[in-house]
Amino acid sequence: MTKDFLCLSDWTLEDLEKIFDLTRELKEKQKEGTPHKLLEGQTLGMLFEKSSTRTRVSFEVSMFQLGGHALFLHSGTTQMGRGEPIKDTARVMARYCDGIMIRTYSQAAIEEFAEQCYVPVINGLTDLYHPCQLMADLFTVSEHKKDYRNLKYCWIGDGNNMANSWINAAAVFGFELRVATPKGYEANAEVISQAEKAGAKLIFSNDPQEAAAGADVLNTDVWASMGQEEEQQEREKAFAGFQINSELVKLAAPQSVVMHCLPAHRDEEITDEVIEGPHSIIFDEAENRLHVQKAIMATMMAR
Ligand code: CP
Ligand code: NVA
């Protein structure tokens, strides 16, 4: 087990499955109203350089339910926003907090922060990865399907932080992952090469129909991520045909499930009909951010 949770492939399958076991236990306790104050008296510092609804709320509620406290900081209102070096901020925050969650742009910045910080650091999304979301996603599949590691997964859309994290997950968990992106919007080449070296079963194409055919799990995300808002129009053109809609779902396995990390642009990358339809497990996926992050923090921060 490493000190930090920055990227799924830093962790072993065994450790990640232990986190899923604890997630199941904590979710059950929360549903039956049994206290599970595993982090009593501890504080999580949450540093955001980008917007958030789910990540902020789920981490804050997680810490409350674990008997601790979460502190919300937006970079614009901190000295970091005025240029205080990352390494100084990291060293100071480590002296106040028992764990830090950061949402920022660069993966290198979060890695530098973690190096300088002796308490655990959790990646709440960077341009490169979104590992907590992936843990929630896979846990959700495991609740809906037997043998979640033996399914065919597909990613349709942008080769963004979520796609990169799915590629990491394919390497660690060993499932088949088909990735269909428009030309010029592929996932990170270094991430792909590392996953392939680790034996990941990855199939790349520019054809969403081919990727969806017979798939058990269909996944997508917005076409323009945070920080790419100015590219929205040109991306809409490039991604035409990459929508998850009822026709595409019909090509998948009959009992397929559809996922989206949210926020979604309804009727753009995914139709309203599919989000609200019988294959969608999107809101269970959102709920599980809470349960899985409690298990991640309890694993990393327990004294
Ligand atoms: N899925 C996700 O991370 O959502 P937020 O941007 O609302 O945190
Ligand atoms: N790819 C999206 C994910 C949001 C949770 C983004 O980075 O904006």
Side-chain angles (χ1 to χ4, degrees), residues 3 21 101 194 207 233 292 295:
K3 175 181 83 70
D21 291 341
M101 191 284 299
Q194 278 177 14
D207 184 345
Q233 285 190 341
V292 96

Side-chain angles (χ1 to χ4, degrees), residues 50 103 125 130 160-162 221-222 224-226 261-263:
K50 291 179 174 178
R103 168 168 285 196
L125 180 146
H130 198 1
N160 63 12
N161 42 13
M162 284 298 302
D221 186 13
V222 289
S225 285
M226 289 183 273
C261 63
L262 301 177

Side-chain angles (χ1 to χ4, degrees), residues 196-261:
E196 283 176 338
K197 273 187 208 139
K201 289 175 251 167
L202 303 171
I203 302 161
F204 296 97
S205 78
N206 306 115
D207 184 345
Q209 277 82 17
E210 191 184 306
D216 302 296
V217 182
L218 291 96
N219 253 290
T220 192
D221 186 13
V222 289
W223 292 338
S225 285
M226 289 183 273
Q228 298 172 332
E229 289 79 3
E230 282 169 16
E231 298 172 28
Q232 177 68 28
Q233 285 190 341
E234 104 192 40
R235 283 173 170 264
E236 279 174 29
K237 285 188 205 129
F239 285 80
F242 282 76
Q243 185 185 66
I244 296 194
N245 51 36
S246 299
E247 286 67 45
L248 200 77
V249 175
K250 277 188 202 133
L251 300 176
Q255 305 298 323
S256 68
V257 291
V258 177
M259 310 187 80
H260 190 306
C261 63

Side-chain angles (χ1 to χ4, degrees), residues 22 25 40 48-49 53 74 99 120 128-129 150 163 167 172 200 242 271 286 293:
L22 183 58
E25 194 183 312
E40 196 141 31
F48 283 86
E49 292 201 282
T53 298
H74 196 274
L128 195 63
Y129 297 128
N150 248 323
I167 291 168
V172 180
F242 282 76
T271 58
Q293 285 159 196

Side-chain angles (χ1 to χ4, degrees), residues 77-273:
T77 58
T78 65
Q79 299 292 7
M80 242 179 116
R82 294 181 54 246
E84 183 170 10
I86 288 177
K87 60 183 178 188
D88 292 355
T89 311
R91 277 140 91 187
V92 171
M93 282 186 74
R95 288 172 184 239
Y96 302 136
C97 300
D98 304 284
I100 314 281
M101 191 284 299
I102 313 180
R103 168 168 285 196
T104 187
Y105 293 87
S106 135
Q107 184 72 15
I110 205 172
E111 282 166 8
E112 186 189 348
F113 194 105
E115 251 171 53
Q116 299 291 336
C117 185
Y118 53 75
V119 300
V121 177
I122 300 172
N123 183 351
L125 180 146
T126 60
D127 290 344
L128 195 63
Y129 297 128
H130 198 1
C132 294
Q133 182 70 53
L134 246 291
M135 287 297 282
D137 292 3
L138 282 176
F139 181 78
T140 309
V141 177
S142 79
E143 289 184 311
H144 285 267
K145 298 268 179 201
K146 280 190 206 128
D147 206 4
Y148 75 98
R149 290 179 54 212
N150 248 323
L151 301 173
K152 291 187 175 72
Y153 290 75
C154 78
W155 176 267
I156 291 168
D158 191 19
N160 63 12
N161 42 13
M162 284 298 302
N164 293 331
S165 298
W166 272 104
I167 291 168
N168 283 160
V172 180
F173 290 89
F175 52 76
E176 175 184 315
L177 176 68
R178 303 144 180 203
V179 183
T181 55
K183 283 200 174 78
Y185 294 93
E186 289 82 10
N188 182 282
E190 178 70 16
V191 172
I192 296 172
S193 138
Q194 278 177 14
E196 283 176 338
K197 273 187 208 139
K201 289 175 251 167
L202 303 171
I203 302 161
F204 296 97
S205 78
N206 306 115
D207 184 345
Q209 277 82 17
E210 191 184 306
D216 302 296
V217 182
L218 291 96
N219 253 290
T220 192
D221 186 13
V222 289
W223 292 338
S225 285
M226 289 183 273
Q228 298 172 332
E229 289 79 3
E230 282 169 16
E231 298 172 28
Q232 177 68 28
Q233 285 190 341
E234 104 192 40
R235 283 173 170 264
E236 279 174 29
K237 285 188 205 129
F239 285 80
F242 282 76
Q243 185 185 66
I244 296 194
N245 51 36
S246 299
E247 286 67 45
L248 200 77
V249 175
K250 277 188 202 133
L251 300 176
Q255 305 298 323
S256 68
V257 291
V258 177
M259 310 187 80
H260 190 306
C261 63
L262 301 177
H265 288 180
R266 286 177 185 244
D267 291 329
E268 204 174 288
E269 75 276 3
I270 185 166
T271 58
D272 181 75
E273 190 187 2

